[in-house]
Amino acid sequence: QRHADLFLDTWPVNAHTTASDALWAGLPLVTMQGGAFAARVAASLLQAVGLPQCVTSDLAAYEALARSLASQPDRVAQLRADLASERETAPLFGTRRFARHFEQALQRMHDRRLAGFEPAGFDVADQGQQRGTAARTADPR
């Protein structure tokens, strides 16, 4: 994938892991977002890596963007540079941050269960690595 110029995504089922691997390798991709989950994955990945300009909503826009990028290697080079600069900070590539948030979510769900609360949705704020009793005994709501 590092040797390709541009990844043209499929529709109505987008690339999932393959798109993630392409972005990790620094290969820009163009996708057409659909309504179903399977047609939205690549768009979500592009949003998470800071390249929303590579997401289109209809076939005409998809074709136009693909043709435009194919004829403008400088734009593709800029997308590659943008991917490279985002590799260390973009949420898509933030494995440690994801793991920390996942651990916090599991702890919060457990705390809610112990406190007798019904299951409910919540957000996990980026509060760094909380440790110790204070994090566990805080208000579980």
Side-chain angles (χ1 to χ4, degrees), residues 22-44:
L23 293 169
W24 180 253
L27 176 61
L29 70 96
V30 173
T31 193
M32 183 170 73
Q33 180 175 309
F37 168 78
R40 301 179 73 80
V41 174
S44 293

Side-chain angles (χ1 to χ4, degrees), residues 1-7 22-23 25-28 51 73-86:
Q1 289 181 339
R2 290 183 191 268
H3 299 288
D5 294 320
L6 187 63
F7 183 116
L23 293 169
L27 176 61
L51 294 179
D74 289 347
R75 275 183 72 194
V76 175
Q78 183 59 54
L79 290 173
R80 283 184 175 280
D82 292 345
L83 274 172
S85 70
E86 291 292 321

Side-chain angles (χ1 to χ4, degrees), residues 54-115:
C54 294
V55 178
T56 63
S57 59
D58 59 62
L59 188 55
Y62 176 86
E63 289 177 1
L65 180 57
R67 288 177 191 268
S68 174
L69 291 172
S71 66
Q72 297 179 30
D74 289 347
R75 275 183 72 194
V76 175
Q78 183 59 54
L79 290 173
R80 283 184 175 280
D82 292 345
L83 274 172
S85 70
E86 291 292 321
R87 190 162 177 181
E88 298 300 320
T89 59
L92 178 62
F93 304 131
T95 306
R96 285 192 176 110
R97 181 175 181 243
F98 174 83
R100 184 175 65 246
H101 284 181
F102 186 64
E103 290 168 350
Q104 289 172 356
L106 291 174
Q107 184 64 55
R108 189 159 182 195
M109 286 185 281
H110 180 68
D111 289 346
R112 287 184 56 80
R113 184 186 64 81
L114 291 177

Side-chain angles (χ1 to χ4, degrees), residues 7 9 13-22 37-42 45:
F7 183 116
D9 196 15
V13 177
N14 292 162
H16 295 188
T17 303
T18 307
S20 181
D21 290 347
F37 168 78
R40 301 179 73 80
V41 174
L45 294 171

